[in-house]
Amino acid sequence: MYKYWLWIFLFISPYPILLFKVNDFALPPWSEFERVLYLSFVQSFFSASLALIFGFLGALGLLSWSQSKRFESLRTFITLPNFIPPLFVLLSVINIFESVGSFPFGLFGVVFIHVLLNVGLCAVIIERLIRENVGGTWELAQVEGAGLASFYWYGIITYLKRDLLSLFIFVFALSLTGFTVPLLAGNIEPLSLSIYLFNKLRLEGDWGQALFLALFESTVLYLFTLLKTKPILNIGRPLMYRGFKGLSLPGVAWALATITLILLLGDITGWVSGVEQLFGDSVILPRFGGAALYTFSIGMATGLLSFMSFLLLAGYFFHFRLFRFFGFYNSPSPIFLGFVFLLALPEVGRGIQLVCGLWLLFFPLLFRMYGRAFIEPLQKQIEVAKVHGAGSGLILKSILFPQMVQPLCWLSGVAAFWGAGDFALSRVLLGQDRTLALLVETLLGAYRLDMATVVALAMLLVGAVCMGLFVGAGYVYRKKYV
Amino acid sequence: MSIVKNMFKGYREKDFQFDMHIEHLEWEDSGITALRGPSGSGKSTFFRLLLGLEPCPGMEWWLNEKNLADLPVAQRQLGVVFQTYELFPHMTARQNILFAGKARGQNAKATEARMLELSDQLEIRENLDQSAQNLSGGQKQRVALIRAMVAPIQYLFLDEPFSALDSDLRDSARKMVGELVEREKIPTLLVTHDEQDVQALAHRELKIENGRIL
């Protein structure tokens, strides 16, 4: 009956593992720590505030698309920068900047990329909040003579302040613990807690200080969780309320879509020369092949693990308390998780560590986003089957598998896509150039931008192949057997 | 006689508190016994505890000289029709019914014969190959009933079986269920909040309020 505790224990286990090592703690020098805290908080504050401000404007733009379902795919499109590996977006932005001048590495660059990564997602979430909560009050306000500005302030911002605060905290926490962007777009000073932790761990080899920082980072994250008044990213059926004429800003939505397109295409002119350079480089090309294969394996293994765990959760471990748990659970930062793996399981193969770590990072998010939508309705059917005498095997074969296989393959495909594009956890656990993402870092460090872009494209492609295999398998199974 | 002992179950939530407290309860195990009470009175909890869908340490449910509470859900040999029928949507009506026979390890031919017999009685035979999703409310109810009774069971549980039907269908549905239970001689627990269900079908009534049988 209390099997769901196993899951909760599994997801919180990294924290007690660190606490057991409490004797090894060492405090970092205060002046250094103070500076990192200041820079990290400034970076995260501006990243979150600007993403929210532009996201709000974007949401007003998206309201003009509420008129038609044709825009649903465009709405998904503008969230892509948040969905694809940040490494790809970062490379695109650097490429675009380099073609007209130079990229402003440092605090400004990091904030700029964080905003680009998160603005589309914020816009979609805020638009959804407005559609669901504000609804007909805009028409009522017009009838009663309220002005546009006062409605924006009192009708939307003041009314949605708890949700907006939760969204701010979400983006703030992402930026505070971010790794890929601050590492590659930052300057010499650490611009996030994760970078500082990584430096202590990998560059200075000071495990005592790293231990303190890992725990500090988690404590900060959990303090934020206490402030977060509402769980976000619960995807359900949106309310299609359409009376937003006069409130929406149609041009902003198209601007957001254009920016997203530019981000995804990057500097196209560099692609051809990048391919030529890659195939002409006898040192990088063999590394590229090995890294592509390894990246593919990591993606597929992450997807498979997600598939199995969703199936197990739906069939054997489901409990409503898990929804509550995952609703407020923050995954630890990848650097923290990598550190825990290095501490607790030094003998276990790094590939296995990486796959397990990626699963711990992605599963709660996927569960929160889509879990309730397709796992919950199955529970009543499982109860009926049990009462009628069905055992676990029959329930799995006849009830769960046929109904879950297609959505589950989608979710596992997403996990595989993210797994193939991981940079942060791989950077802690693996050696140089082992995956395509790590190879991109090497090429970026050598300032071979065109080749790095092509490798990053290959990384996306490998992720897409992994995802396609899962989605295709789900489709074939459903077509053939259900 | 059906005897329930030590049914104690508590729920504590932030703004909700409920205690089921039934020390000893006996009722005749034949015909239809109605369990009636307002919403939040504990009907569903009582129902789920007997089915074994919620744990209740120390509880006993004696039926035919066996304590069913000691058995896992799948071995209690019970049939159930939930308020929303809960047909498996990816199956046809026939597959839904045959599933129950397979789950109980019943011979496939015997299940098929029994299914046809019951579907004739409930006039649903021509809909057997229809997808469960495309059945009407009344058809779903009949398929759920056949599924519950296609294999031998000791007790049938009906959870507000008429509340999802249109009011003009309810009378005929009550009549159909009453006749079926009478014919099959399966002791039945009918959970309802509707006085008309009790008057039309029940041989006896248990009233529940605040987790206590009155």
Side-chain angles (χ1 to χ4, degrees):
Chain A
M1 182 56 204
Y2 296 107
K3 286 183 288 186
Y4 63 90
W5 279 110
L6 281 176
W7 287 75
I8 294 177
F9 175 74
L10 196 64
F11 282 94
I12 58 172
S13 62
Y15 302 102
I17 289 173
L18 271 198
L19 281 173
F20 279 123
K21 297 275 176 185
V22 81
N23 291 337
D24 304 329
F25 267 96
L27 294 176
W30 173 245
S31 58
E32 188 183 283
F33 185 48
E34 187 189 21
R35 176 83 184 144
V36 173
L37 268 186
Y38 170 73
L39 287 173
S40 305
F41 274 78
V42 167
Q43 179 268 114
S44 310
F45 177 78
F46 280 109
S47 298
S49 307
L50 293 173
L52 220 65
I53 291 168
F54 289 116
F56 183 78
L57 290 174
L60 295 179
L62 292 181
L63 285 177
S64 65
W65 288 354
S66 322
Q67 307 292 331
S68 165
K69 284 193 172 178
R70 279 182 300 143
F71 291 116
E72 281 301 313
S73 49
L74 269 173
R75 195 176 276 119
T76 309
F77 176 71
I78 64 162
T79 62
L80 275 184
N82 197 274
F83 176 77
I84 61 175
L87 191 59
F88 186 83
V89 175
L90 177 129
L91 212 54
S92 274
V93 177
I94 292 178
N95 256 323
I96 293 165
F97 267 88
E98 294 296 328
S99 62
V100 290
S102 63
F103 180 76
F105 287 94
L107 184 63
F108 179 79
V110 172
V111 170
F112 185 72
I113 293 177
H114 274 158
V115 172
L116 287 176
L117 284 173
N118 294 307
V119 68
L121 183 72
C122 286
V124 169
I125 292 175
I126 295 171
E127 184 234 7
R128 191 192 165 84
L129 288 169
I130 294 174
R131 271 203 285 164
E132 285 184 351
N133 297 292
V134 177
T137 53
W138 166 233
E139 285 172 342
L140 184 70
Q142 279 176 306
V143 172
E144 291 183 349
L148 193 59
S150 68
F151 187 76
Y152 281 148
W153 181 252
Y154 293 108
I156 301 180
I157 297 173
T158 311
Y159 181 61
L160 295 177
K161 60 179 187 285
R162 288 177 66 201
D163 301 270
L164 294 175
L165 177 69
S166 294
L167 189 58
F168 174 85
I169 290 169
F170 173 73
V171 182
F172 189 95
L174 275 183
S175 310
L176 191 71
T177 56
F179 180 71
T180 309
V181 179
L183 183 77
L184 301 175
N187 48 20
I188 196 130
E189 285 192 294
L191 291 172
S192 81
L193 288 176
S194 292
I195 299 291
Y196 191 42
L197 167 59
F198 177 78
N199 288 349
K200 291 290 172 195
L201 192 69
R202 274 293 189 211
L203 303 183
E204 297 175 26
D206 193 330
W207 286 56
Q209 288 187 32
L211 201 54
F212 168 80
L213 290 171
L215 216 60
F216 177 79
E217 188 186 63
S218 307
T219 312
V220 170
L221 274 182
Y222 271 88
L223 287 177
F224 283 134
T225 308
L226 293 180
L227 287 176
K228 200 164 76 178
T229 52
K230 285 185 173 180
I232 58 167
L233 290 176
N234 285 331
I235 310 277
R237 182 175 293 180
L239 184 74
M240 293 300 284
Y241 186 78
R242 289 164 187 186
F244 293 112
K245 209 173 171 188
L247 187 69
S248 59
L249 305 171
V252 181
W254 289 108
L256 206 55
T258 311
I259 291 170
T260 308
L261 186 68
I262 293 170
L263 279 181
L264 296 181
L265 291 177
D267 179 15
I268 304 175
T269 51
W271 292 7
V272 179
S273 74
V275 172
E276 281 168 8
Q277 285 171 31
L278 179 65
F279 282 95
D281 192 318
S282 57
V283 179
I284 296 294
L285 193 60
R287 285 195 217 163
F288 172 77
L293 204 63
Y294 197 78
T295 303
F296 176 76
S297 320
I298 294 297
M300 290 304 288
T302 309
L304 274 176
L305 192 58
S306 304
F307 184 90
M308 301 297 291
S309 43
F310 267 111
L311 208 57
L312 280 173
L313 183 70
Y316 305 105
F317 297 94
F318 177 84
H319 197 279
F320 74 94
R321 285 199 175 124
L322 276 176
F323 281 127
R324 209 179 289 169
F325 171 74
F326 283 123
F328 284 91
Y329 173 79
N330 274 335
S331 293
S333 80
I335 308 306
F336 171 95
L337 208 56
F339 183 36
V340 169
F341 273 111
L342 291 176
L343 266 178
L345 307 162
E347 306 301 324
V348 177
R350 292 293 164 84
I352 297 173
Q353 288 186 4
L354 179 60
V355 171
C356 293
L358 291 172
W359 175 76
L360 281 172
L361 290 174
F362 303 151
F363 186 81
L365 185 64
L366 291 172
F367 185 87
R368 189 161 55 224
M369 285 165 75
Y370 301 103
R372 184 181 286 264
F374 77 91
I375 290 180
E376 204 171 33
L378 292 172
Q379 299 311 307
K380 202 88 180 180
Q381 292 181 35
I382 293 174
E383 285 185 354
V384 170
K386 277 184 185 166
V387 172
H388 288 139
S392 306
L394 187 63
I395 291 175
L396 186 72
K397 190 177 147 222
S398 304
I399 309 293
L400 289 180
F401 209 73
Q403 293 186 81
M404 282 184 76
V405 76
Q406 209 169 7
L408 204 52
C409 280
W410 264 101
L411 283 189
S412 310
V414 171
F417 182 77
W418 288 346
D422 169 69
F423 173 72
L425 193 58
S426 315
R427 187 68 175 80
V428 180
L429 293 174
L430 302 179
Q432 215 183 9
D433 300 347
R434 211 52 215 286
T435 66
L436 289 174
L438 294 177
L439 188 58
V440 170
E441 189 205 10
T442 304
L443 294 169
L444 202 59
Y447 226 67
R448 302 172 77 174
L449 284 182
D450 289 347
M451 213 199 286
T453 306
V454 170
V455 176
L457 265 176
M459 177 187 79
L460 271 194
L461 196 68
V462 169
V465 168
C466 293
M467 189 171 171
L469 285 173
F470 277 101
V471 174
Y475 179 77
V476 170
Y477 179 89
R478 195 165 167 86
K479 198 94 181 144
K480 215 165 173 180
Y481 299 106
V482 183
Chain B
M1 290 298 270
S2 201
I3 304 167
V4 167
K5 292 181 186 171
N6 305 326
M7 187 188 268
F8 303 126
K9 179 89 182 168
Y11 296 98
R12 299 279 177 278
E13 293 290 327
K14 209 167 153 190
D15 42 10
F16 170 77
Q17 189 171 318
F18 174 79
D19 282 302
M20 174 67 85
H21 191 101
I22 300 174
E23 209 170 315
H24 187 101
L25 175 68
E26 289 186 20
W27 72 93
E28 213 175 305
D29 54 2
S30 64
I32 296 178
T33 306
L35 177 70
R36 191 162 72 92
S39 57
S41 59
K43 298 189 298 287
S44 296
T45 306
F46 185 87
F47 179 87
R48 291 177 65 78
L49 289 175
L50 290 189
L51 284 173
L53 296 173
E54 303 273 344
C56 187
M59 187 189 108
E60 296 172 27
W61 177 25
W62 292 92
L63 186 72
N64 302 330
E65 292 171 4
K66 260 193 294 183
N67 180 9
L68 293 192
D70 276 350
L71 299 174
V73 189
Q75 289 173 26
R76 294 187 185 193
Q77 284 194 294
L78 306 172
V80 65
V81 176
F82 280 110
Q83 190 173 1
T84 43
Y85 313 126
E86 297 302 334
L87 297 185
F88 308 127
H90 60 296
M91 296 183 186
T92 61
R94 180 189 298 273
Q95 287 167 333
N96 261 282
I97 297 166
L98 294 182
F99 174 86
K102 194 174 174 185
R104 292 235 190 275
Q106 186 173 257
N107 176 287
K109 276 186 184 162
T111 309
E112 180 89 21
R114 174 85 171 134
M115 174 184 74
L116 294 177
E117 178 196 335
L118 289 170
S119 54
D120 280 341
Q121 285 175 22
L122 300 188
E123 296 170 14
I124 188 94
R125 192 167 183 164
E126 62 194 39
N127 301 100
L128 285 180
D129 291 315
Q130 230 171 297
S131 162
Q133 290 184 80
N134 298 334
L135 296 172
S136 69
Q139 289 166 339
K140 279 182 182 166
Q141 187 195 44
R142 281 178 272 167
V143 173
L145 265 171
I146 300 173
R147 182 176 67 177
M149 296 165 85
V150 77
I153 52 173
Q154 304 195 66
Y155 218 100
L156 176 65
F157 286 76
L158 304 175
D159 179 16
E160 309 261 10
F162 312 111
S163 60
L165 296 178
D166 291 339
S167 53
D168 51 338
L169 278 178
R170 275 187 206 157
D171 282 342
S172 59
R174 283 189 193 113
K175 193 166 170 249
M176 174 197 76
V177 169
E179 285 171 2
L180 183 70
V181 170
E182 183 76 37
R183 202 163 41 234
E184 298 294 326
K185 299 204 177 344
I186 298 172
T188 300
L189 182 74
L190 168 70
V191 174
T192 184
H193 66 277
D194 191 338
E195 174 73 42
Q196 283 184 312
D197 289 348
V198 180
Q199 281 177 359
L201 289 170
H203 298 99
R204 68 201 65 81
E205 182 184 16
L206 302 171
K207 277 189 184 160
I208 187 165
E209 212 169 301
N210 295 325
R212 281 153 177 85
I213 298 289
L214 302 176

